[in-house]
Amino acid sequence: MLGEIQLKIKDRKLIGVDTQHHFLWLSDYKKDPEMESLIQKLRAPHRDSLKEKIATATEVIQRQYKSESPFDKLVGNLLRKEYDAQISFLPGVGYGISLQDEVIREDLYTLIPHPPKVTTLSLTGKQIKATLEQTAFNLKSEEKYEIVGGLLQSSGISYTLNFSQPIGNRISNVKVQGEDLEFQKYYSVVTHTGMLNGLHRYDELGNGKNIMKKKIQLNESVVEKFRD
């Protein structure tokens, strides 16, 4: 899908945003021979690694965007177990594939194509609540251009999100591993450096304590865990 955005500007100020989506079906287009040749040339040194069989998915593992994602929930659970964290936070993204049957390295790279490093930190309950309020704001804001990303993908935490409530008061009934969230208490969190740097405006993560950036990239960590 090709996205088209028109920005309406008056007196050097943005006054409106219009968007359209154009569907580009593969069946309507032929591969460009020159570009296809270049792609295969670039892939050649990495092909064996990309095609390596990592695991088998005995049922379909999908990625969702505006709701909880089975793939990201699985990744979050694996990260929490590996780093002994109470909560995992990952960004809500809409690209990728569904895993089924044989899973190769390239499948996992398709779902996590960027190279952020795994990161652990501590957040207060108040910061966690603010982070959840941010995902509600990102999904449904009063201004179109403030909408960004999908639902914050999480593990180890549950909550109620109500869009009918005012901005800043949409999150309630927050529980961490079944226990009520305490605002002054610190909780252990695992995420990645992209989130730490404020991806999708999740700024509270960068304000956490005991921040430790691991040497391993998130996608390589996921490959290892799937192989195990």
Side-chain angles (χ1 to χ4, degrees), residues 11-22:
D11 297 329
R12 301 178 67 86
K13 292 184 178 180
L14 183 66
I15 62 171
V17 179
D18 288 333
T19 61
Q20 295 185 61
H21 298 96
H22 306 281

Side-chain angles (χ1 to χ4, degrees), residues 8 13 16 24 30 34 40 46 49 62 70 85 102 160 200:
K8 298 180 180 179
K13 292 184 178 180
L24 306 177
K30 293 182 179 179
E34 185 178 354
Q40 294 306 322
H46 313 287
S49 176
Q62 297 176 321
E102 183 176 286
T160 299
H200 296 172

Side-chain angles (χ1 to χ4, degrees), residues 127-157:
Q127 289 176 307
I128 290 169
K129 171 69 158 46
T131 299
L132 297 176
E133 290 288 356
Q134 185 64 52
T135 200
F137 179 86
N138 288 352
L139 288 169
K140 191 171 183 180
S141 171
E142 293 174 350
E143 300 289 347
K144 273 187 178 181
Y145 61 82
E146 291 179 333
I147 296 173
V148 60
L151 179 73
L152 177 69
Q153 298 300 323
S154 59
S155 170
I157 189 169

Side-chain angles (χ1 to χ4, degrees), residues 65-66 90-95 114 130-139 146-153 192-205:
Y65 182 44
K66 300 293 187 180
L90 295 170
V93 292
Y95 48 72
H114 309 301
T131 299
L132 297 176
E133 290 288 356
Q134 185 64 52
T135 200
F137 179 86
N138 288 352
L139 288 169
E146 291 179 333
I147 296 173
V148 60
L151 179 73
L152 177 69
Q153 298 300 323
H192 64 59
T193 49
M195 295 287 285
L196 193 71
N197 293 333
L199 179 70
H200 296 172
R201 299 196 208 95
Y202 293 119
D203 298 327
E204 286 296 340
L205 276 72

